[in-house]
Amino acid sequence: MKNKKWKLLLFICSLCISSGCTQKQNLEKHSMTATNLGFDTVISFTAYTKNEKEFKKYENELSKQISYYNKIFDRYNSYEGINNIKTINDNAGKKPVEVNEDIIDLLTISKEYAELTNGKFDITLGSVMDLWREAREQAEKNPDNTFVPSMEDLENAKEHSGWDKVQIDKEKNTVYLTDPKTRLDVGAIAKGYAIDKTSQHLKELGVEHGFLNGGGNIRLLGNKPDDSNWVVGVQIPDLTQQATDSISSLSLPGNTSIVTSGDYQRFYVYDGTIMHHIIDPETLQPARYARSVSIVCDDGTASDILSTALFTMSQEDGQALLDKINKEKDIHASALWVYDKNTLPKHLENSYKNQEYTISYSPSLKEKIVK
């Protein structure tokens, strides 16, 4: 996918893990970290295996899986012999594109969650996202000459969004964008989907104790070797802090996913205001509620989707949405919100202060908080 600066990539990792534990007999801890596998982020993998040779087998499979998902979900680059999201966008208004089942699956899930979230999660807003991306890239090139897209341009771009413009034929495995200016942007789901699927594959191959971290999209693979929970830290929402600094920690069992969305990951400053990359589909502007939202869930794809959706709404509305989706989907999703003094709501239940921030959380997380 489109290259970003290395300095930025380091801080996309919005969560950190404490993995110290008593190992089972004959199990060794092995880790790897890579910056070139895909999704413009750091991919790290830790597992307890019998030996390094066994770990290398898992590492090689992980690299293949992430590379594969990166290519098919890429909207900026073409690859020989592969029809991907870019291929679909390039053929908007021209013809249906035959794609593989993973793309059909991802788009089907995306459409379902667009309905469940009342449009707060919408991958058809690619034309809107392109305008903001252009502004952010211009700011990276020339910080002294920044701009924001005009509301007229944003509203015109939004006219080309909507699932009524996306035709999915599951029998023929084709996708057709009927509007020539409609663009798909799967950035709010692709990484979570890839991490989830890759983790499932690693478990099938034999990984029993470990975790996979794709730039803050974390999937826990079984419990620790001593059968205890993992401790996952939520990063302080400040790019001046080290990526391993955490503002709160959660004790979580294996086979759990946790994903964080925040305003401190990809942004530029315009007239003294942070213009970050999480755009509210209603206002077409960067969302202004919490500093970050973390989703803890059984389903890694849902975690990625919901962390973005909840970031674009109030905590009250976000919790109501979780309650609704948990009932309909049975995915056991909970949220943790981080606020500072500039964004702190007047009334918060299940909350506590930590340094300059206030942390609030779903009732179901209360017993999992490690302050």
Side-chain angles (χ1 to χ4, degrees), residues 247 337-340 344 348 351-354 356-360:
I247 192 171
W337 293 262
V338 176
Y339 300 93
D340 61 20
L344 182 64
L348 284 178
S351 64
Y352 65 93
K353 292 187 179 297
N354 187 326
E356 298 180 2
Y357 304 93
T358 295
I359 297 90
S360 188

Side-chain angles (χ1 to χ4, degrees), residues 58-296:
Y58 299 140
E59 181 182 344
N60 290 336
E61 283 299 315
L62 181 151
S63 298
K64 292 177 184 178
Q65 291 285 306
I66 296 297
S67 177
Y68 159 73
Y69 288 114
N70 177 69
K71 289 177 181 178
I72 65 170
F73 297 145
D74 197 336
R75 67 164 297 200
Y76 299 107
N77 301 293
S78 300
Y79 304 91
E80 186 176 355
I82 296 177
N83 285 345
N84 60 5
I85 297 299
K86 182 179 186 298
T87 315
I88 296 171
N89 287 340
D90 288 347
N91 285 279
K94 299 176 183 178
K95 63 179 181 179
V97 175
E98 185 175 356
V99 296
N100 67 28
E101 292 182 357
D102 283 310
I103 291 180
I104 297 294
D105 187 36
L106 178 131
L107 295 184
T108 301
I109 294 171
S110 296
K111 184 177 182 180
E112 178 185 14
Y113 273 90
E115 295 172 356
L116 287 170
T117 62
N118 293 319
K120 283 294 190 176
F121 171 76
D122 189 354
I123 69 168
T124 72
L125 282 167
S127 294
V128 171
M129 303 303 292
D130 284 344
L131 293 174
W132 281 106
R133 187 174 290 104
E134 179 184 351
R136 188 169 65 249
E137 291 179 349
Q138 171 62 32
E140 290 177 359
K141 295 177 183 178
N142 188 355
D144 295 325
N145 186 27
T146 61
F147 71 95
V148 296
S150 70
M151 279 305 300
E152 181 180 3
D153 287 344
L154 290 169
E155 289 170 353
N156 287 338
K158 188 177 181 179
E159 290 295 318
H160 303 287
S161 67
W163 281 96
D164 60 315
K165 300 173 178 63
V166 184
Q167 295 182 356
I168 302 173
D169 189 327
K170 293 185 179 180
E171 291 186 1
K172 297 181 179 179
N173 274 2
T174 62
V175 180
Y176 178 46
L177 304 181
T178 59
D179 185 332
K181 294 185 179 181
T182 298
R183 295 293 180 269
L184 301 179
D185 187 323
V186 298
I189 180 178
K191 190 164 56 174
Y193 183 95
I195 294 298
D196 217 23
K197 291 293 185 179
T198 300
S199 297
Q200 292 175 24
H201 183 61
L202 291 173
K203 284 193 67 178
E204 291 170 358
L205 291 177
V207 176
E208 296 182 5
H209 313 284
F211 56 86
L212 179 58
N213 183 351
N217 284 250
I218 291 176
R219 182 69 180 182
L220 306 175
L221 305 175
N223 286 354
K224 293 181 183 180
D226 64 357
D227 205 34
S228 63
N229 286 356
W230 302 91
V231 177
V232 182
V234 180
Q235 187 189 336
I236 295 173
D238 185 349
L239 275 177
T240 64
Q241 302 290 332
Q242 295 295 319
T244 54
D245 288 347
S246 60
I247 192 171
S248 182
S249 297
L250 300 168
S251 175
L252 301 174
N255 306 318
T256 300
S257 292
I258 177 167
V259 179
T260 293
S261 291
D263 64 5
Y264 54 94
Q265 297 175 340
R266 289 193 284 273
F267 69 91
Y268 68 99
V269 178
Y270 173 77
D271 195 24
T273 301
I274 290 177
M275 312 304 293
H276 60 80
H277 73 296
I278 306 176
I279 306 303
D280 186 332
E282 293 184 16
T283 67
L284 305 182
Q285 299 293 312
R288 306 292 183 191
Y289 293 97
R291 295 296 311 281
S292 72
V293 177
S294 300
I295 300 294
V296 177

